[in-house]
Amino acid sequence: MTQIQYLKGIGPAKAKLFDRLEINTVEDLLHYYPRTYQDRRLGVPPNLYNADDRVVFKGRVLRTQTIPARSVLIFKAFLQSEKGEEMECTWFKKRMYRGFRFDPFGTLKKDFTLNSEVWVIGKREHKNNFFDNKITVEEHYVANDALTQLHAGRLTPIYALTEGLTNKQFRQFVYEALQTSSLANEPEILPPSLLKKRGLLSAPQALRAVHFPGSLSELETARARLAYEEFLLLATAWGIKRTQTKVLSKDYSYEIKKNLLTPFRQQLGFEFTNSQKKVINEIFNDLTSPRPMNRLLQGDVGSGKTVVALCAMLLAVENDYQAALMAPTEILAEQHFLTFKKMLRGLPVKVAVLTSSTKAAAKKKILKELAEGTLQILIGTHAVIQDTVQFHNLRLAVIDEQHRFGVKQRSKLKEKTSKLDLLTMTATPIPRTLALAFYGDLDVSTLSELPPGRQPIQTETATSRLAYDRVRMEVEKGRQAYIVFPLIEESEKISAKAVTEEFEKLKKIFPQFKLAVLHGQMTPTEKESVMNDFAAHKTDILVATPVIEVGIDVKNATVMVIENAERFGLASLHQLRGRIGRGEHESYCILVPQHATSVAKERVDIICATRDGFKIGERDMQLRGPGEILGTRQSGEFEFKAGDIFQDRDILYRAIEDRDELLTQDPTLQKPEHFLFRQKLQELYQKNWHLIDLS
């Protein structure tokens, strides 16, 4: 592979700028696809790529003038098109200091000589809703320059760049790579049968067209080809890994004894939903099978994932095995610990929580009991996978909010024992086909219904005053309320309300009620005390940070006020709302946004419009991208550059269908026509070591 610094015009200094974009080779450059495009063709009707006020104009220079002003210098060029239309083009330069010895418009004057032909791109000025024949110029290109064809008169690529690189430079580097690099004629990795079956462009054709498309249809054809390749590679990797997982066998077994499970169910105080019963059966079938379990449990907020996971952990404990639950944050780990303690009250099961905040003496005791086997269930954060943590007989691991962990962390947990049953959970439900695409080595279970008695929640936006009126009204009826803030203390950098500051104000607003505050910097004992008091209705209003997203089940709480709602993600808003509507009374979620951006406003609008976790999860992916939602961006796993799992869903389905056919015909990709495809998968394995083993 040719290092990027050796491409004409780059060199070692500029190569450092490319390194910021993770472009180290010429191949990386060619596979760094445009972020979007601008339609810079003349006379093209408005479309997706030229719908704003940007103007593309080509004309002959009639005259130019320089105008000095108090704080800026102004250069104007007057152009005339072939059709006789005139355009006044303007550039502005800030005055620097007296004694300025060079002409800031020297290059412009050189390019805009009398009768020369020039392309200009810029924003059109308008007055009283009418456009003037005036533009403020952003870019210009001399018409007879050979490289002008890259920047004007075409569908022009726009790249996401770093400071120090311009799109003009970048386009020229990509063009140079396409002209001189053998990678522009790189061998075709897709099997010929699939190219023919799907009518796809060759790899070199697709690369050229995605960077410099001749038309909108050519662009879409190229992008579809590259998206298909990405989807097929990942789907095939997961398919092979799934096969490899299925051939493993475990040297231990489970027996459903019910000496813990039966009393546990009897003291719960509620019946499992049909969906929970179905999923528990799926998990128990996995555990009692001769192969290790590798299952994803997805379910909406409040669907009862935690109690399902606890049933699985109790089955492990019944068989004298240990179980561990790993959560992404200390707050979540502590809340799971409190929930487990409450649910297991009276049962002979020892549970502990281990985080980086665990005191040295307590940690020493936990590690000793783990190693001896007297501690049966451990709940914790990343601290669980530290080398000092040794289990006596770990057989079941549960990972909550799995997208917050990379595969390397999950693999590290598996290293704690020779064989391990793994249950991962997510509250961001995604459609089954997408789940198979991203979690191809996992079996997928879905909790599709909420427990009976859940009340519909009215969700709306309001001012703080109106929201507090609703709180007052509900508390006077004997109900309880949550008021949530995004921060613990005021920050000069972030203008969001802080829970410690606001708690003091709220005590004055609600002097007749009992208020308590809850946040992540409190000790576990303090948190437990506050939550127990709220559950026992010793407190009317709980003022909190998002620590209450999970683990709190107070049926008498009917109001959730979320201040600075624009600062919360969709998943957090949905999780918080899930804390209410758990009893027989009508419930209200009131969002109080402050300075919402368009994306933040859209998040708030979505939450107000639906309670469907699948729809919310899908919109969250569209707004933030699947890499962030599914954990691939944080963990360095495979990301899509050309494909979009929503826009290109049909392509994804075709890729999965072709993957199944491919692996049926050639499970280990040994046929000669599959050699290059296998080689590419091997490269993925080397870069993302967790995917598959083709050695």
Side-chain angles (χ1 to χ4, degrees):
M1 293 184 185
T2 305
Q3 293 299 304
I4 193 68
Q5 66 174 331
Y6 299 119
L7 188 65
K8 182 181 176 182
I10 295 184
K14 213 172 233 82
K16 293 178 181 178
L17 300 177
F18 282 87
D19 185 58
R20 295 180 195 169
L21 303 174
E22 297 183 2
I23 297 174
N24 299 303
T25 67
V26 175
E27 183 184 28
D28 293 339
L29 177 65
L30 291 177
H31 288 278
Y32 192 85
Y33 305 138
R35 173 180 58 83
T36 186
Y37 301 81
Q38 288 178 4
D39 199 337
R40 296 181 175 182
R41 296 172 294 177
L42 295 175
V44 176
N47 60 54
L48 177 65
Y49 300 110
N50 67 357
D52 58 11
D53 294 343
R54 187 170 282 101
V55 171
V56 179
F57 190 84
K58 180 184 179 184
R60 182 173 54 83
V61 179
L62 299 176
R63 66 185 186 281
T64 64
Q65 66 179 123
T66 303
I67 305 169
R70 177 171 295 180
S71 58
V72 296
L73 294 171
I74 302 170
F75 180 80
K76 288 184 180 289
F78 298 85
L79 307 183
Q80 185 179 56
S81 71
E82 289 182 351
K83 296 180 178 179
E85 181 185 9
E86 291 192 14
M87 187 68 69
E88 180 183 319
C89 309
T90 305
W91 291 256
F92 298 91
K93 291 279 187 182
K94 285 186 178 180
R95 280 186 179 273
M96 301 298 286
Y97 52 84
R98 290 183 179 179
F100 212 41
R101 292 190 176 278
F102 67 91
D103 186 349
F105 296 125
T107 301
L108 289 173
K109 290 176 179 178
K110 180 181 176 182
D111 291 343
F112 286 80
T113 56
L114 186 64
N115 290 323
S116 61
E117 200 169 35
V118 186
W119 287 85
V120 290
I121 296 103
K123 289 288 187 176
R124 193 164 190 170
E125 298 179 22
H126 53 88
K127 190 182 297 181
N128 300 325
N129 294 325
F130 289 97
F131 285 109
D132 289 337
N133 279 9
K134 298 178 180 180
I135 65 173
T136 301
V137 180
E138 298 171 349
E139 298 175 42
H140 78 277
Y141 302 95
V142 177
N144 61 6
D145 189 316
L147 291 178
T148 294
Q149 61 171 328
L150 306 181
H151 315 292
R154 66 171 311 118
L155 201 58
T156 306
I158 306 296
Y159 300 87
L161 301 179
T162 186
E163 187 177 357
L165 287 174
T166 68
N167 264 285
K168 180 179 179 180
Q169 292 172 322
F170 201 87
R171 284 191 285 269
Q172 292 174 187
F173 291 139
V174 171
Y175 178 74
E176 178 71 19
L178 286 168
Q179 295 301 108
T180 62
S181 173
S182 60
L183 291 168
N185 300 302
E186 61 184 30
E188 180 60 67
I189 70 162
L190 293 182
S193 59
L194 293 183
L195 281 173
K196 183 177 179 181
K197 176 183 178 181
R198 298 301 182 187
L200 300 173
L201 293 178
S202 68
Q205 287 174 322
L207 274 179
R208 286 189 173 89
V210 81
H211 288 291
F212 298 110
S215 65
L216 291 171
S217 61
E218 186 182 45
L219 168 61
E220 185 49 37
T221 303
R223 199 191 59 77
R225 146 67 210 231
L226 296 169
Y228 173 86
E229 181 179 313
E230 289 181 334
F231 292 154
L232 183 66
L233 281 166
L234 185 63
T236 305
W238 284 131
I240 293 172
K241 186 173 183 183
R242 183 181 180 85
T243 301
Q244 292 173 347
T245 302
K246 290 298 183 184
V247 299
L248 296 175
S249 60
K250 54 193 181 189
D251 52 3
Y252 57 94
S253 61
Y254 295 84
E255 181 184 342
I256 301 177
K257 301 176 180 178
K258 298 187 178 181
N259 55 358
L260 288 175
L261 286 164
T262 298
F264 171 68
R265 289 189 63 169
Q266 289 173 344
Q267 72 180 32
L268 273 179
F270 60 82
E271 278 292 316
F272 289 140
T273 65
N274 289 330
S275 183
Q276 284 175 313
K277 291 175 184 176
K278 177 176 177 291
V279 169
I280 289 170
N281 282 333
E282 290 171 347
I283 292 171
F284 280 19
N285 286 337
D286 281 354
L287 293 175
T288 54
S289 82
R291 293 183 297 274
M293 176 173 69
N294 209 17
R295 184 169 290 276
L296 170 69
L297 172 58
Q298 59 176 8
D300 205 349
V301 175
S303 59
K305 294 185 297 298
T306 302
V307 72
V308 168
L310 186 49
C311 284
M313 298 172 90
L314 286 177
L315 179 57
V317 174
E318 279 188 343
N319 286 271
D320 298 323
Y321 303 140
Q322 290 172 301
L325 186 150
M326 195 159 75
T329 65
E330 291 190 10
I331 293 168
L332 189 51
E334 289 163 1
Q335 290 195 1
H336 277 309
F337 174 63
L338 296 176
T339 301
F340 277 31
K341 274 181 61 179
K342 180 181 176 182
M343 287 184 170
L344 296 172
R345 189 172 291 127
L347 295 178
V349 181
K350 193 164 189 178
V351 186
V353 61
L354 179 66
T355 70
S356 58
S357 298
T358 303
K359 296 287 191 292
K363 181 177 180 179
K364 184 177 179 181
K365 182 172 183 287
I366 289 170
L367 295 181
K368 181 175 181 293
E369 292 176 347
L370 269 183
E372 293 172 347
T374 54
L375 177 58
Q376 295 139 313
I377 296 178
L378 179 66
I379 300 168
T381 55
H382 291 80
V384 172
I385 59 176
Q386 298 304 309
D387 292 338
T388 54
V389 179
Q390 299 297 323
F391 290 85
H392 175 71
N393 199 10
L394 177 66
R395 292 302 180 207
L396 173 64
V398 179
I399 298 180
D400 195 16
E401 294 301 319
Q402 66 79 38
H403 60 279
R404 304 276 288 277
F405 295 97
V407 172
K408 292 183 180 181
Q409 283 86 10
R410 303 201 282 271
S411 298
K412 187 81 173 173
L413 185 56
K414 287 183 178 181
E415 291 172 9
K416 294 293 180 185
T417 184
S418 58
K419 293 286 191 304
L420 186 68
D421 291 297
L422 184 64
L423 177 66
T424 59
M425 303 194 298
T426 178
T428 306
I430 60 175
R432 184 173 181 81
T433 303
L434 302 186
L436 291 174
F438 282 99
Y439 308 122
D441 63 328
L442 304 181
D443 296 304
V444 181
S445 291
T446 302
L447 290 173
S448 55
E449 59 182 319
L450 296 177
R454 289 295 175 93
Q455 297 299 312
I457 300 171
Q458 292 188 30
T459 306
E460 59 189 20
T461 59
T463 62
S464 294
R465 184 180 63 80
L466 291 175
Y468 295 163
D469 285 345
R470 170 61 69 180
V471 169
R472 188 175 290 106
M473 189 184 308
E474 288 297 301
V475 176
E476 285 174 348
K477 291 179 187 176
R479 314 282 179 257
Q480 290 164 276
Y482 302 101
I483 301 178
V484 181
F485 295 90
L487 297 176
I488 296 172
E489 296 175 347
E490 285 288 3
S491 165
E492 292 180 4
K493 294 182 180 179
I494 306 175
S495 58
K497 295 181 179 179
V499 67
T500 51
E501 297 279 337
E502 296 299 320
F503 178 63
E504 297 303 319
K505 298 176 186 176
L506 288 168
K507 286 197 293 187
K508 297 175 183 177
I509 294 173
F510 301 109
Q512 70 274 44
F513 303 136
K514 294 179 181 177
L515 280 71
V517 65
L518 181 68
H519 57 72
Q521 290 185 2
M522 297 166 68
T523 67
T525 303
E526 290 170 334
K527 291 175 193 169
E528 183 175 9
S529 175
V530 169
M531 288 191 285
N532 286 341
D533 284 351
F534 190 68
H537 202 169
K538 295 179 181 178
T539 308
D540 300 309
I541 301 171
L542 186 59
V543 183
T545 58
V547 296
I548 62 164
E549 275 189 28
V550 295
I552 293 184
D553 185 8
V554 178
K555 292 179 172 54
N556 193 48
T558 57
V559 186
M560 166 73 65
V561 176
I562 304 176
E563 292 277 2
N564 285 110
E566 77 282 358
R567 294 197 59 81
F568 293 83
L570 262 177
S572 289
L573 290 172
H574 189 48
Q575 287 270 21
L576 287 167
R577 178 170 58 182
R579 296 309 99 205
I580 58 174
R582 292 170 170 256
E584 59 183 349
H585 308 294
E586 191 170 18
S587 297
Y588 308 88
C589 179
I590 305 171
L591 310 178
V592 185
Q594 299 295 328
H595 309 291
T597 63
S598 58
V599 173
K601 184 179 184 303
E602 187 172 353
R603 286 199 301 267
V604 170
D605 290 344
I606 291 165
I607 287 293
C608 290
T610 182
R611 283 197 66 203
D612 187 322
F614 280 87
K615 290 181 181 177
I616 290 169
E618 187 162 322
R619 291 298 292 126
D620 203 12
M621 274 195 203
Q622 290 173 314
L623 289 173
R624 290 199 284 156
E628 191 169 332
I629 301 298
L630 300 168
T632 57
R633 184 170 301 163
Q634 294 92 328
S635 61
E637 298 171 36
F638 196 97
E639 288 187 61
F640 298 131
K641 296 178 180 179
D644 181 295
I645 60 173
F646 298 100
Q647 179 181 332
D648 303 320
R649 189 171 301 189
D650 289 344
I651 300 175
L652 173 60
Y653 291 170
R654 290 196 290 272
I656 292 173
E657 176 188 317
D658 293 346
R659 179 274 314 271
D660 293 341
E661 185 178 322
L662 183 68
L663 293 181
T664 299
Q665 296 172 355
D666 188 7
T668 57
L669 301 177
Q670 295 298 322
K671 292 182 178 180
E673 60 266 34
H674 299 152
F675 174 76
L676 293 176
F677 188 71
R678 173 189 168 90
Q679 194 175 52
K680 187 67 175 180
L681 281 174
Q682 188 69 52
E683 288 176 21
L684 282 179
Y685 168 70
Q686 290 169 353
K687 189 174 181 180
N688 305 283
W689 60 271
H690 55 272
L691 279 178
I692 52 171
D693 185 358
L694 290 172
S695 56

